[in-house]
Amino acid sequence: MITVDPALAACPVPFQETDRVLLGHGSGGQLSAALVTGVLLPALGTAAPSGPLEDAAVVPVAGVDIVVSTDAFVVSPLFFPGGDIGRLAVHGTVNDLAMRAATPVALALAYVVEEGFPLADLRRVAASAGDAARAAGVAVVSGDTKVVGRGAADGLYLVSTGIGQRLPGAAPSAAAVEPGDAVLLSGPIGRHGTAILSVREGLGFDSDITSDTRPLHRLVAAMIAAGGAGVHALRDPTRGGLASALNEIAAASGVPVEIDESKLPVPPPVAAACEILGLDPAHVANEGCLVAFVAPQQAEAVLAAMRGLPEGADAVRIGTVAGGGGEPGRVTVRTAVGSRRVLDMLVGEQLPRIC
Amino acid sequence: MITVDPALAACPVPFQETDRVLLGHGSGGQLSAALVTGVLLPALGTAAPSGPLEDAAVVPVAGVDIVVSTDAFVVSPLFFPGGDIGRLAVHGTVNDLAMRAATPVALALAYVVEEGFPLADLRRVAASAGDAARAAGVAVVSGDTKVVGRGAADGLYLVSTGIGQRLPGAAPSAAAVEPGDAVLLSGPIGRHGTAILSVREGLGFDSDITSDTRPLHRLVAAMIAAGGAGVHALRDPTRGGLASALNEIAAASGVPVEIDESKLPVPPPVAAACEILGLDPAHVANEGCLVAFVAPQQAEAVLAAMRGLPEGADAVRIGTVAGGGGEPGRVTVRTAVGSRRVLDMLVGEQLPRIC
C-alpha cells in the first residue's frame, strides 16, 4: 500500500524542486525549458550558446556562416503510420536547419542499438533514412553505431545532426518578430502525435491518421524567395505542438500573439482522436508543418508562395502579433464563440516518446 | 536447462549470418566493420559517404572545407577514474576532428536521459562537458534532451557531434600512408579500457589506473607544424584499441605494417590488469593517445614536436610501413624474442560499453 503524507498531498512540491529527471523534462513543454535553462545551459558556463534558443545554431567557420542542429530520436514505436524513426530523424534535422533559413548540406547519424535487435529492422531504418536523405538532397557524411545491452534502448535510438548553408536574403530568428506580423501556418496540425498514439500499445483506438513527417526546406526557400527579410521567424511545431512554438517565439521576441481558433486547420480524424483522449490539438506534435511570422507587407506574397508547393498547399493565416496592448510573451486564442483564452505551453508530459 | 543442438554446437553459424544485433557489433572490431559496410552503408545508397571510412568527414560548404564527426557515448559506469561521460564525449569528438587535422569550432550535444536519473548527476555531467569544451576552446552551439522510461538508457547516453576547421598544410587520411612511413605513438596504451574495467561491477579488481581521456588537437597542430604534408595518417585508437587503428589504416592504404612489440608503451598496472583478464593491451581502448604515420624525412621532427607537449611527452616510434614484401593490409608484430605474429582486429566484443 502506498501512503501519502497528508501535508504533502495538500501542498505538493513544485515541479522545479524535483531532484530526479521526469518524463516531462523531455516533452518540449515548460519542464523541458526549465531543464535546459536551469540545469544544462548554466553547467556549460561560457561554452554555452548565447542569445535566444533556436532550432539550430549559426556558427562562423573561416568566414562562412554554417548552421548546425542536433536531435535525439527516441520515438516509440519505431515504425508508425506514415513513417519510421529513420525518416523522422532525417526530416526533423532538415527542418530544424530550414527554420534558420538553411539548406541542408550534410547529415551525421549516430545509432544506439539494443543487443538482439533484428538486423532486418536496422536495415529497414537505415534504408528509410537513406531514402529520406536522398529525397532531401543531403549527404550522410558521418556515422557511429553503439550497441547496448538487452532492455537498454527500446530497440533503437537515432541521433541526427545536420549542417546547413544559409540562404541569402533572410535571417529568421525567434527573437526577430515585430508588432503587426502575420502568423502563417503551412498546413494541418496534430497528425504526427495522433498517428503515434493510434498505434501505441494499450491506447485502444485505431484510425487512418498518418504522420505528416516530411522535409520543409524547399518550402522555406520558396517563402524566402517571396518574402525576403520580411520572413522574421520560422518554427516547426514538433514536441509541445503549435502552442509551444508560438509561446517560445512570443517570449523570445517579447510580443503578444493573437490566434484565431476558427482558422486552425485540424483534420477531423485528429479532432476526433483528441476529443477521445482529452488532448488539445495545439499541444500535439507535428513533423511536417511550420509556423511563420512575416511582416504584413510580405504576408500575402509568402502565403501564395507556400500554397504553390504540395507541403504548403493548405497554408493559412492563423493570427497576428498585436500592435499596442496585449501582454508581451503571451499567446491568446480568440475562440469561435468570441471569447479569449490564454494558450499556454504544457507543463510536463502529454505524449511521451513521440519523436 | 539450456539444450544445444549437437549439429549446431559442432558447426556454429558464422557471425556474418546472425539476424540479430550482437554486443560485438558495437565493439569497434570486425563485427562493427561488417555492420557498417554490410548493413548501414549499403542502406544509405548514394547518400552514403564515398572513399575510406575515417574518424571524421570533410564537407565543402560555400567553398570552405569543414570537418564533421559524430559519436554516441554509452559508457558504463558514467563516472570512472579519470573522467566521466561528459568529458569523454567532448574529448572523443575533439579528437576525431583532430585526426583529420581539424581544429574544433563547435559542438552539439544530445542527451538521452532515463526517467528518475538524479538531476545532480545530470548537472555534474553537463558541467564536466562544459569544462572540457572550455578547456579545448570549443563552443557548445546546439543541444537536445530526450527523456525515456525507467530501465531504458542506463541512466544517460550522450551523443556528441563536432564541427571543425581544417588546419592548413596537411590532409591526413587513413588511405594516404606510403611504404617507408614511420609509425609513431603519442603515449602509453590501455589506460582507458582498464580504468573502466577496474570499476565495472562484478569484475572484482581495483587499481590506480585512470582513464587517459584528454583532447589531442593541440598535439596534432604541433605535429603538422613540424611535419606538414609528411603527416600522412592520424588515428586515435579508441574502441578496438591500437590493433583496430593499425589494421584499419593498413587496409585503407593497402600497405603492410610492422610493429616492434618491445617499443609498445604499456604501463605496468595496465599490463598486470590485462594479464589477469586475459586481454591484449593492443585491443584495449584509449581516449588520449594517437597513432601517426609520418614520412621518414619528417618522422624525427614530428616526434620531437610531440615530445614538447604534455600529451605527447612519452611519444615513441613503434614501427614502420614495410617497403617491399609483406602482405598489403596486414599488421605484423615482431615479438621481444624475435618471432613474428599477426596483430588482428578483434572479431567481436572484448569490453562492452567502454565509450
Side-chain angles (χ1 to χ4, degrees), chain A residues 21 44 72 116 134 144 146 152, chain B residues 21 44 72 116 134 144 146 153 239:
Chain A
V21 173
L44 286 174
R134 270 192 302 282
D144 190 29
K146 292 283 162 67
Chain B
V21 173
L44 286 173
R134 272 193 302 283
D144 189 29
K146 292 283 161 65
R239 274 186 295 176

Side-chain angles (χ1 to χ4, degrees), chain A residues 46-128:
Chain A
T46 55
S50 58
L53 291 172
E54 308 270 10
D55 283 333
V58 179
V59 184
V61 180
V64 171
D65 274 353
I66 64 164
V67 183
V68 181
S69 179
T70 198
D71 266 293
F73 290 85
V74 299
V75 64
S76 169
L78 299 173
F79 303 94
F80 49 80
D84 59 64
I85 192 171
R87 276 169 70 78
L88 192 64
V90 170
H91 293 162
T93 299
V94 163
N95 292 349
D96 279 349
L97 296 176
M99 297 310 118
R100 298 305 300 279
T103 301
V105 174
L107 285 182
L109 298 177
Y111 290 86
V112 178
V113 190
E114 180 178 338
E115 185 188 6
F117 188 71
L119 268 181
D121 285 353
L122 183 59
R123 233 182 266 272
R124 201 173 143 202
V125 168
S128 179

